[in-house]
Structure formats: structure tokens, C-alpha cells
């Protein structure tokens, strides 16, 4: 019986504290100006899609001579293909590459250019089509 009274008192105190906090928040909301409320409701960011003029500098494709397959692999692909992160087949593991090696180079390059599974388009880089093909050839040669 004594425990029940203590639990009841604790619950009553918690309810009173909760009600007090709710009333304080309501009072604060009533004193906030319309400008302050509008400022709090502003979006956290903006979305800029390809082709839209969003006032910033567009990401430019790499210029100059195409990088070699090894250069592209080292700077972009190795992050996942060295460790197998996100299910990426590890370079040099012929078993992991088995079904992929049956596809044409164009099909493999298309998967990289367009993205596949957890891999974003172009592996998340600005590599040109030629550089993607170089990297695919490098990976395939190293994984047979």
C-alpha cells in the first residue's frame, strides 16, 4: 500500500511538471513574433538538380587527357573495390567477378556510368566515359 501511494505521488509530480513545461512552451510560442516563427519554418537547404541554374558553379567534367584505368581506380574505385564495401566485388577476386566477367565491357561500363546497387553513377566521380571504360578494363584485367 505504501509503495502504491509513493508511485501515485511520483506520477502526479511528473504530470504537474509536464503540464508546467507544456504551459511554458505555449507561452513562449505566443510571445514569438510572426517573423521569428517564419524564420524557424524556413527550409534547411535547397535542392539543385542537373540543368537548373542554382547560382553556384557547376561541377565541371575533368578536362585534359583521360586518366588511366589505374589512376581512376586508385582515386575513385578503390574505396569500395579494395575492401568489398557495400557489396562491391573485390579487385582480383575472380569468384566475386565471375558473372560480371561474362558481360561485355560496354555493359559493365554502362553499369558504372548509370550506377548500380549501392554504387552511384560514375562511382560518385566526374570521370568521363573514356575514363570509366579505362577503369572497367583495369578492374576486369586484374580480376580474371
Amino acid at each position: 500500500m505504501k509503495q502504491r501511494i509513493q508511485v501515485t505521488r511520483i506520477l502526479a509530480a511528473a504530470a504537474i511538471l509536464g503540464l508546467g513545461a507544456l504551459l511554458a512552451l505555449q507561452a513562449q510560442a505566443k510571445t514569438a513574433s510572426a517573423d521569428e516563427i517564419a524564420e524557424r519554418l524556413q527550409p534547411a537547404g535547397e535542392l539543385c538538380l542537373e540543368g537548373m541554374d542554382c547560382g553556384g558553379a557547376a561541377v565541371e567534367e575533368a578536362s585534359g587527357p583521360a586518366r588511366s584505368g589505374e589512376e581512376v581506380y586508385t582515386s575513385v574505385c578503390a574505396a569500395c573495390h579494395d575492401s568489398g564495401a557495400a557489396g562491391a566485388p573485390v579487385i582480383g577476386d575472380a569468384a566475386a567477378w565471375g558473372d560480371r566477367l561474362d558481360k561485355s565491357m560496354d555493359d559493365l561500363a554502362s553499369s558504372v556510368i548509370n550506377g548500380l546497387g549501392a554504387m552511384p553513377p560514375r562511382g560518385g566521380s566526374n570521370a568521363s566515359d573514356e575514363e570509366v571504360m579505362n577503369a572497367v578494363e583495369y578492374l576486369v584485367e586484374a580480376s580474371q
Side-chain angles (χ1 to χ4, degrees), residues 103-117:
K103 296 180 180 180
S104 73
M105 296 300 270
D106 288 338
D107 286 343
L108 291 172
S110 176
S111 294
V112 175
I113 290 169
N114 298 311
L116 180 66

Side-chain angles (χ1 to χ4, degrees), residues 7-90:
V7 170
T8 304
R9 286 180 181 168
I10 291 170
L11 290 175
I16 291 170
L17 287 173
L19 181 60
L22 182 62
L23 291 173
L25 287 173
Q26 186 178 14
Q28 181 183 5
K30 286 184 179 180
T31 60
S33 71
D35 290 339
E36 290 171 331
I37 293 171
E39 185 177 335
R40 286 195 308 259
L41 294 175
Q42 290 297 313
E46 294 180 14
L47 177 65
C48 184
L49 301 175
E50 186 175 340
M52 293 174 60
D53 180 16
C54 299
V59 175
E60 296 181 26
E61 282 198 26
S63 60
R67 295 176 288 172
S68 71
E70 185 175 6
E71 289 172 321
V72 175
Y73 176 82
T74 302
S75 65
V76 178
C77 314
C80 294
H81 288 284
D82 276 356
S83 65
V90 175

